[in-house]
Amino acid sequence: MEALQHFFPDQSFDLGLISVNETKSEFTGDYTVVLFPFVKMLRQKPDELGNTLGVWLTEQHPELFTAFQVVSGFLNLTVNDRFFLDMLSRNWNNQCYGTAAASGKKVMIEYSSPNTNKPLHFGHLRNNFLGYAVGNILKVNGDTVVKANLVNDRGIHICKSMVAWQHFAQGATPESSGIKGDHLVGDYYVRFNDEYKAQVKELMASGMSEELAEKEAPIMKEAQQMLRAWEAGDEAVVSLWKQMNAWVYAGFDITYKNLGIDFDKFYYESNTYLLGKAIVEKGLEKGVLFRKEDNSVWIDLTADGLDQKLLLRGDGTSVYMTQDLGTAVLKYNDFGLDRSVYVIADEQNYHMQVLQLILKKLGEPCADGIFHLSYGMVELPSGRMKSREGTVVDADDMIEEMISMAEQQTKENGKADGFSGEEQKQLYRMIGLGALKFYLLRVDPKKKMIFNPQESIDLHGFTATFIQYAHARICSVLRKEQLPVMPAADVFAGKSIGEGLFEAEKHILKMLEQYPVAVETAAKEMSPSVLCNYCFSLAQAFNTFYDRHSIAKAESEEKKQMRLMTVVMIARTLRHAMSMLGIELPEKM
RNA sequence: GGUCCGGUAGCUCAGUUGGAUAGAGCAUCAGCCUUCUAAGCUGAGGGUCAUUGGUUCGAAUCCAAUCCGGAUCACCA
């Protein structure tokens, strides 16, 4: 690209017209320049231009290009092997290859954000993996990243669990029942709903309308009463609330740890739910917001193609949006953020659009940095998961199931023979969790996805296992062969290398050279799937090479050393990329 | 009804700012282990890129309309 710019010293035309692509495999060459864009400008036939350009490039930059071919409007350039070998000698042992220089930008990524009335389910997994991975990707790409979790720890949902616990638990605790805290609390949430349904049914049987029965069910009134007591600071209620939330957090900690996920900062809605009112007051003064007759406060977004939105109830209490306004400003003030990323399902697209627009209208500086990383819902083959219908797949169960599937398949293949018990356990974890993470991250976030249990445990093809296996094969070779011991200069002085890389070798080096670009793209698009695809292709390229050429019995000592450097760099790159996704690679499998 | 998102092989998905004969994996079929790990490799079949029109040297990609699927438009969070 840079070489090309010198060919056109005349800056009168747009250099953006130059487009360079990788050459398709059916043609000879490595990179292709598309000639059509220049034709008009230079009034030359494409093929003539291609020849002139090709001759010029190979003469001026023999260190870069060794040959060219012009095929109907496309200039295919063959890159000098030396270029790739230089890249290899510079980077094969570079721990930081792919890590970008600090950008000076501060980014917060909020994800997970669970409710504290029930355990995490399968739908949360996509959120958790996505947030964790994107946070890492941004970090590697140079940003300073704060991983945040906004815990939804208050509200009617938790009161429901509390009421049911009071009625039915007879003082059961996680310790006394042996049930994980989040599951225990979740059980009483389910119990509440059962009881509520029964009461509604009963009231309707005695002649009440459904609508009225839903309002009058005693257990629901009790929960609402409890919420009011909580907001009034009632000691007994607050103390029960603290206790049950503590159980849930202990449970979440275990789940997060099992998932390999962490956070730098926790926000709790019980601390933030009152924020935002001051912002609303300011908005009223500025005249951006208006008050209706019943004293409720609204913003009119109809001019922007949206609706009117409530920001404060008539009685002065906040709604969801009010809290979110407050939290957005709080985050910004806490860290001085350049960007604030929200990992939230696409059902909240409208909410997030409105949130950003309101902040903008209020003149809040945090508005511009807000980005909604929206992802599609995870559905089962039978349709959408519904907690009320019991079709929810529990996250803890899912993890365990994946690990035991991994164990079963590993044993069937006899792959863990000679492993110690502890090594086996670790391996099953790596494979099971890796498969799950990869399965959820390999698809573009904004597409909704169907979780197919059978497919997710498949360990062939486009999976984490495939990549882990390639890594293990490399480690196996490196255990037997001496790491490159010759100085790079000596290795590459050998004529046997300079005279021609095999296609499979060159393909790998070309891919490795492109790794930093892949990281940059993944960061720019906030898409871990870019890395999934990259790693799969690299592993595939390695497998092809491995099948075709021997490392141990290479054609010359220099070539052997060069191949060892190459596979070291492949393994390092795979680890670097996969660790951003939270996937570990075993040395043996 | 308004807004937003999606529609690519039987299935699940890639496809950079428009570029050559649209690519992977799964599934199906045919080959490859006395030699560095066969959870692998090689090959075959499989397509009206939802439909129609437009923009141009050139469209899966950009524009318009239509069809199908989903989300959302709460004094729930």
Side-chain angles (χ1 to χ4, degrees):
Chain A
M1 184 63 113
E2 283 159 34
L4 277 176
Q5 293 182 356
H6 297 294
F7 181 75
F8 302 107
D10 178 8
Q11 297 287 318
S12 62
F13 73 90
D14 184 5
L15 284 172
L17 290 178
I18 302 175
S19 86
V20 181
N21 305 311
E22 268 193 58
T23 301
K24 300 244 173 198
S25 56
E26 53 275 26
F27 301 95
T28 46
D30 298 303
Y31 291 102
T32 295
V33 182
V34 185
L35 299 167
F36 293 107
F38 311 114
V39 171
K40 258 187 210 160
M41 202 125 17
L42 302 177
R43 297 213 196 100
Q44 256 186 352
K45 286 182 182 163
D47 290 5
E48 272 173 31
L49 175 64
N51 279 309
T52 322
L53 190 52
V55 168
W56 186 83
L57 281 170
T58 44
E59 279 177 2
Q60 295 294 310
H61 297 280
E63 79 286 359
L64 285 177
F65 304 109
T66 53
F68 72 91
Q69 266 186 322
V70 178
V71 184
S72 55
F74 297 88
L75 170 62
N76 297 331
L77 293 160
T78 302
V79 175
N80 196 331
D81 287 352
R82 183 117 322 246
F83 172 78
F84 294 114
L85 292 170
D86 283 347
M87 187 281 303
L88 180 63
S89 82
R90 273 198 312 274
N91 294 304
W92 74 276
N93 205 17
N94 175 4
Q95 313 264 1
C96 299
Y97 186 65
T99 304
S103 66
K105 280 195 181 147
K106 201 148 199 185
V107 182
M108 175 176 284
I109 181 159
E110 179 201 304
Y111 63 101
S112 199
S113 302
N115 291 348
T116 59
N117 64 324
K118 52 188 172 203
L120 299 180
H121 63 70
F122 188 71
H124 292 119
L125 293 181
R126 189 177 197 187
N127 181 304
N128 286 324
F129 295 149
L130 193 58
Y132 180 77
V134 171
N136 289 337
I137 290 168
L138 294 177
K139 203 182 287 179
V140 166
N141 202 49
D143 297 339
T144 303
V145 176
V146 181
K147 292 184 273 189
N149 191 348
L150 173 59
V151 182
N152 188 0
D153 62 343
R154 54 135 241 135
I156 192 73
H157 54 278
I158 180 72
C159 290
K160 289 178 182 176
S161 292
M162 286 158 66
V163 165
W165 184 85
Q166 283 182 325
H167 279 286
F168 309 113
Q170 293 168 328
T173 66
E175 292 76 29
S176 75
S177 63
I179 299 173
K180 197 162 161 279
D182 50 337
H183 288 261
L184 181 76
V185 173
D187 289 346
Y188 288 101
Y189 183 71
V190 171
R191 185 67 198 268
F192 175 94
N193 284 324
D194 291 346
E195 186 64 26
Y196 171 61
K197 252 185 262 171
Q199 289 184 1
V200 168
K201 211 170 168 187
E202 205 174 301
L203 288 172
M204 284 169 70
S206 65
M208 206 179 265
S209 74
E210 185 173 356
E211 204 181 330
L212 192 58
E214 283 175 354
K215 266 189 199 158
E216 290 299 318
I219 198 164
M220 183 60 88
K221 287 189 139 177
E222 217 178 316
Q224 285 161 349
Q225 171 55 35
M226 188 178 264
L227 182 60
R228 282 192 289 272
W230 182 90
E231 294 203 5
D234 180 292
E235 258 178 56
V237 171
V238 168
S239 130
L240 175 62
W241 171 78
K242 277 187 184 162
Q243 181 179 48
M244 289 185 72
N245 270 342
W247 295 342
V248 172
Y249 296 144
F252 283 173
D253 280 349
I254 294 170
T255 305
Y256 285 140
K257 204 171 168 209
N258 280 335
L259 294 174
I261 278 173
D262 56 23
F263 303 93
D264 305 310
K265 172 77 183 171
F266 283 84
Y267 286 103
Y268 295 91
E269 225 170 73
S270 53
N271 292 329
T272 62
Y273 84 107
L274 293 175
L275 298 176
K277 286 192 188 181
I279 297 171
V280 172
E281 289 302 325
K282 239 194 311 181
L284 276 169
E285 283 168 27
K286 280 192 188 173
V288 179
L289 313 180
F290 66 95
R291 208 180 276 279
K292 285 195 179 174
E293 285 169 8
D294 65 353
N295 208 36
S296 57
V297 179
W298 296 73
I299 186 165
D300 186 359
L301 302 173
T302 47
D304 298 275
L306 304 174
D307 306 280
Q308 292 197 350
K309 189 84 191 168
L310 176 88
L311 294 180
L312 277 183
R313 297 191 184 96
D315 61 7
T317 55
S318 355
V319 290
Y320 181 38
M321 184 60 78
T322 326
Q323 297 175 31
D324 269 9
L325 291 171
T327 317
V329 173
L330 178 69
K331 286 170 163 183
Y332 182 81
N333 291 340
D334 278 355
F335 293 95
L337 301 173
D338 295 292
R339 300 188 82 181
S340 184
V341 179
Y342 292 72
V343 183
I344 308 180
D346 61 6
E347 59 186 358
Q348 297 207 33
N349 284 356
Y350 179 74
H351 175 81
M352 291 305 296
Q353 196 188 347
V354 171
L355 174 68
Q356 184 167 20
L357 186 57
I358 294 177
L359 286 166
K360 203 170 268 181
K361 286 195 183 279
L362 291 173
E364 291 294 338
C366 64
D368 291 330
I370 287 179
F371 180 80
H372 178 200
L373 178 48
S374 166
Y375 63 91
M377 305 292 266
V378 182
E379 295 179 8
L380 297 168
S382 54
R384 198 168 161 178
M385 284 194 282
K386 293 209 169 107
S387 44
R388 283 187 209 134
E389 290 168 24
T391 53
V392 174
V393 181
D394 178 74
D396 292 322
D397 293 348
M398 195 64 226
I399 298 168
E400 236 175 83
E401 192 166 328
M402 291 302 293
I403 293 172
S404 82
M405 286 328 264
E407 176 172 357
Q408 193 190 324
Q409 297 213 25
T410 304
K411 282 182 175 160
E412 270 173 25
N413 294 330
K415 290 282 180 181
D417 300 348
F419 279 54
S420 75
E422 191 51 39
E423 282 175 333
Q424 285 185 13
K425 263 177 96 178
Q426 275 188 2
L427 180 65
Y428 303 149
R429 266 191 70 78
M430 279 189 204
I431 295 175
L433 266 166
L436 183 60
K437 292 181 184 182
F438 197 89
Y439 183 79
L440 289 173
L441 290 175
R442 66 185 197 179
V443 182
D444 185 274
K446 68 171 175 283
K447 289 198 175 180
K448 76 172 182 197
M449 61 180 300
I450 293 162
F451 171 69
N452 186 332
Q454 289 198 325
E455 199 180 278
S456 70
I457 55 157
D458 193 358
L459 306 181
H460 303 270
F462 187 32
T463 62
T465 316
F466 183 94
I467 295 160
Q468 290 169 324
Y469 184 64
H471 181 263
R473 281 174 131 183
I474 291 173
C475 291
S476 173
V477 172
L478 295 177
R479 250 177 268 128
K480 287 171 191 158
E481 298 300 328
Q482 290 222 289
L483 271 170
V485 286
M486 293 168 71
D490 290 353
V491 172
F492 298 116
K495 263 194 155 184
S496 50
I497 295 171
E499 278 182 358
L501 290 165
F502 288 109
E503 193 192 325
E505 294 171 319
K506 195 166 182 175
H507 184 222
I508 288 172
L509 293 179
K510 220 190 282 184
M511 285 209 68
L512 287 171
E513 198 253 330
Q514 288 296 311
Y515 178 57
V517 177
V519 174
E520 202 186 318
T521 307
K524 202 175 81 195
E525 323 227 320
M526 297 201 200
S527 180
S529 71
V530 171
L531 293 181
C532 292
N533 282 297
Y534 177 86
C535 287
F536 177 68
S537 303
L538 183 58
Q540 205 174 32
F542 165 76
N543 280 332
T544 300
F545 158 78
Y546 182 87
D547 197 64
R548 237 177 252 179
H549 307 287
S550 174
I551 296 167
K553 296 178 186 165
E555 294 79 355
S556 69
E557 185 57 28
E558 287 84 5
K559 193 122 197 178
K560 178 171 167 177
Q561 296 284 317
M562 188 276 289
R563 285 183 183 163
L564 283 168
M565 288 177 172
T566 305
V567 298
V568 166
M569 191 168 170
I570 295 171
R572 202 187 285 295
T573 303
L574 290 177
R575 264 182 268 130
H576 189 263
M578 294 296 272
S579 78
M580 285 187 246
L581 309 181
I583 299 173
E584 297 177 281
L585 305 181
E587 297 192 357
K588 283 192 277 183
M589 67 188 284

